[in-house]
Amino acid sequence: GEDVEQSLFLSVREGDSSVINCTYTDSSSTYLYWYKQEPGAGLQLLTYIFSNMDMKQDQRLTVLLNKKDKHLSLRIADTQTGDSAIYFCAESKYSGYALNFGKGTSLLVTP
Amino acid sequence: DVKVTQSSRYLVKRTGEKVFLECVQDMDHENMFWYRQDPGLGLRLIYFSYDVKMKEKGDIPEGYSVSREKKERFSLILESASTNQTSMYLCASSPQYTGELFFGEGSRLTVL
């Protein structure tokens, strides 16, 4: 499939904001997603954004989309140790179509 | 509570064995997926299905086949397991018109 790129690691201190970045190459991507994987578990949908939006906020989570640059970011405010996990960016052309995932960003939150 | 259940959390098989990985969902979802997850490679799509008896190849179908005889069950088959198929296998399901995938906990397969 088309490429979805993420940095592999991010370390932040508890209480700081985390920003996880993602770039994708398929300009026809219509839906963009953030999934979270905690140790020993499957992935869980955190949030998603349609390509006709540029921002979406959901409690501590803010998603920013720059469609021109094909850049997606996930900001976690007031990061907690329980936010330590792997975060995956994913895209699809059509709702319900198979998702194309990035390699995941491991977020480590230190006290 | 929605649930995707994978039959085995851990399996150890020998090269050349036939391996069945079973996945059952209780949400009446139309779509089901099999991904494999490897360190540094992320998730890669093996096969998916939009309906009973229907299957589509993903990005890495070689060495795998699937079966979907009932809506709730999607099986991944390794006809002759090889060491390069040692991996974590993740099953997921989703309703027809959303990208919200519900994942099982994964099956870690080791091929010796």
Side-chain angles (χ1 to χ4, degrees), chain B residues 78-92:
Chain B
L78 288 67
E79 292 289 340
S80 177
S82 62
T83 54
N84 63 12
Q85 293 179 309
T86 291
S87 186
M88 171 69 84
Y89 290 88
L90 294 172
C91 175

Side-chain angles (χ1 to χ4, degrees), chain B residues 4-8 11 19-25 32 34 67 72-77 89 91 106-107:
Chain B
V4 177
T5 303
Q6 296 184 228
S7 54
S8 305
L11 302 94
V19 182
F20 292 88
L21 299 178
E22 305 284 345
C23 176
V24 177
Q25 51 99 358
M32 295 190 76
W34 276 106
S67 171
E72 67 270 19
R73 186 179 298 269
F74 192 34
S75 302
L76 180 69
I77 303 151
Y89 290 88
C91 175
S107 298

Side-chain angles (χ1 to χ4, degrees), chain A residues 1-2 8 31 33 35 37 40-45 48 86 88 92 94-104, chain B residues 9 31 33 35 37 40-43 45 48 50 59 88 90 94-106:
Chain A
E2 299 289 340
L8 292 183
Y31 300 86
Y33 304 86
Y35 279 79
Q37 185 181 32
L43 281 70
Q44 183 177 16
L45 179 67
Y48 64 92
I86 304 175
F88 290 90
S92 72
Y94 310 107
S95 178
Y97 203 69
L99 300 188
N100 185 26
F101 286 87
K103 292 182 171 57
Chain B
R9 290 297 304 272
N31 304 332
F33 308 86
Y35 288 88
Q37 183 178 15
L41 296 177
L43 273 73
L45 181 64
F48 57 99
Y50 288 148
D59 297 320
M88 171 69 84
L90 294 172
S94 74
Q96 192 169 15
Y97 297 114
T98 81
E100 182 174 7
L101 272 61
F102 293 84
F103 281 84
E105 292 185 323

Side-chain angles (χ1 to χ4, degrees), chain A residues 55-71:
Chain A
M55 187 181 93
K56 182 178 180 182
Q57 188 150 5
D58 183 2
Q59 298 182 337
R60 292 191 296 124
L61 305 178
T62 303
V63 179
L64 295 178
L65 174 61
N66 181 328
K67 196 175 178 185
K68 174 176 168 289
D69 293 339
K70 300 191 194 71
H71 182 267

Side-chain angles (χ1 to χ4, degrees), chain A residues 17-74:
Chain A
S17 293
S18 308
V19 179
I20 302 171
N21 294 301
C22 169
T23 57
Y24 58 97
T25 57
D26 189 350
S27 58
S28 63
S29 294
T30 307
Y31 300 86
L32 296 136
Y33 304 86
W34 284 105
Y35 279 79
K36 177 183 180 181
Q37 185 181 32
E38 295 181 352
L43 281 70
Q44 183 177 16
L45 179 67
L46 272 182
T47 187
Y48 64 92
I49 190 168
F50 296 120
S51 61
N52 62 358
M53 300 166 64
D54 51 20
M55 187 181 93
K56 182 178 180 182
Q57 188 150 5
D58 183 2
Q59 298 182 337
R60 292 191 296 124
L61 305 178
T62 303
V63 179
L64 295 178
L65 174 61
N66 181 328
K67 196 175 178 185
K68 174 176 168 289
D69 293 339
K70 300 191 194 71
H71 182 267
L72 182 72
S73 67
L74 174 69

Side-chain angles (χ1 to χ4, degrees), chain B residues 9-71:
Chain B
R9 290 297 304 272
Y10 302 95
L11 302 94
V12 180
K13 297 292 181 181
R14 294 203 177 274
T15 302
E17 280 192 78
K18 190 169 186 175
V19 182
F20 292 88
L21 299 178
E22 305 284 345
C23 176
V24 177
Q25 51 99 358
D26 64 1
M27 297 164 280
D28 200 35
H29 286 167
E30 287 79 12
N31 304 332
M32 295 190 76
F33 308 86
W34 276 106
Y35 288 88
R36 64 177 282 178
Q37 183 178 15
D38 300 287
L41 296 177
L43 273 73
R44 292 179 291 166
L45 181 64
I46 306 172
Y47 268 97
F48 57 99
S49 168
Y50 288 148
D51 202 351
V52 176
K53 295 191 187 295
M54 176 272 179
K55 59 186 178 185
E56 293 282 345
K57 291 180 181 179
D59 297 320
I60 52 162
E62 296 79 19
Y64 303 94
S65 62
V66 290
S67 171
R68 193 164 181 203
E69 295 296 319
K70 294 185 177 181
K71 189 176 185 181

